[in-house]
Amino acid sequence: MASESIVLDVDFCRSHFPNLANGWVYMENAGGSYVPQSVIDHTVQFMSQSRSQPYPHHKSGALANERLKDGETRLAAMLGVDRKQLVLGANTTVNFYVLAQALRAKMDVGDEVIVTNQDHEANIGCWRQLSKSGIVVREWQVDTATGLLSL
């Protein structure tokens, strides 16, 4: 079976991101991520039609609930998992903090966690905090010559 090369249509991809219309490439972190027009459109719809708690007590809440469930269903399908397996949270920083705190309850003094020195603070700060509970936090150093983590 011959493998085919897939060519990324960069112009097509860029056309979906209004912030990239000026021809610049922005090398920012996750907090500065740009979103495609479809996300902007859905955000405008959400903010103007269903910005309320997702409870069915009123029209706006029922619509918010419906949209939330639809989004979870679509995301689960995209990831190939059951919707009940999804855990959505406010942002990466909060999600990792909650995860680290949940795991801390299962860890013993002297247990170890490994982080890298190339991760964003949102990914490692919560793990480093575990050292206050006697958890050993080791830092895996990136090879500055290659940019790789060596085993």
Side-chain angles (χ1 to χ4, degrees), residues 79-141:
L79 296 173
V81 300
D82 186 275
R83 189 173 141 232
K84 292 177 182 176
Q85 292 176 289
L86 290 177
V87 177
L88 302 178
N91 55 58
T92 303
T93 304
V94 170
N95 292 347
F96 271 108
Y97 177 81
V98 170
L99 176 63
Q101 291 305 304
L103 292 176
R104 183 180 62 85
K106 302 285 185 184
M107 300 176 84
D108 295 318
V109 171
D111 283 352
E112 297 185 8
V113 173
I114 301 171
V115 299
T116 74
N117 67 329
Q118 69 178 2
D119 285 316
H120 186 277
E121 176 61 22
N123 299 342
I124 57 176
C126 58
W127 301 110
R128 287 186 173 137
Q129 290 291 318
L130 296 179
S131 65
K132 294 176 182 176
S133 300
I135 307 302
V136 177
V137 181
R138 299 199 183 276
E139 190 171 272
W140 190 6
Q141 299 290 313

Side-chain angles (χ1 to χ4, degrees), residues 54-56 61-77 83-84 86 88:
Y55 306 115
L63 183 57
N65 189 38
E66 179 184 315
R67 287 180 170 167
L68 180 63
K69 286 182 179 179
D70 181 59
E72 290 172 346
T73 299
R74 290 173 184 243
L75 180 59
R83 189 173 141 232
K84 292 177 182 176
L86 290 177
L88 302 178

Side-chain angles (χ1 to χ4, degrees), residues 5-89:
S5 273
I6 298 174
V7 178
L8 177 65
D9 186 342
V10 174
D11 290 333
F12 173 80
C13 294
R14 289 179 69 86
S15 73
H16 290 276
F17 291 81
N19 292 94
L20 301 180
N22 63 10
W24 282 85
V25 174
Y26 301 93
M27 306 300 265
E28 298 182 324
N29 65 35
S33 298
Y34 296 104
V35 297
Q37 185 64 50
S38 60
V39 171
I40 294 168
D41 294 343
H42 280 87
T43 302
V44 168
Q45 286 177 4
F46 171 77
M47 296 300 287
S48 62
Q49 299 170 11
S50 59
R51 177 66 181 111
S52 65
Q53 295 297 318
Y55 306 115
H57 306 302
H58 48 82
K59 185 178 179 181
S60 178
L63 183 57
N65 189 38
E66 179 184 315
R67 287 180 170 167
L68 180 63
K69 286 182 179 179
D70 181 59
E72 290 172 346
T73 299
R74 290 173 184 243
L75 180 59
M78 183 178 80
L79 296 173
V81 300
D82 186 275
R83 189 173 141 232
K84 292 177 182 176
Q85 292 176 289
L86 290 177
V87 177
L88 302 178

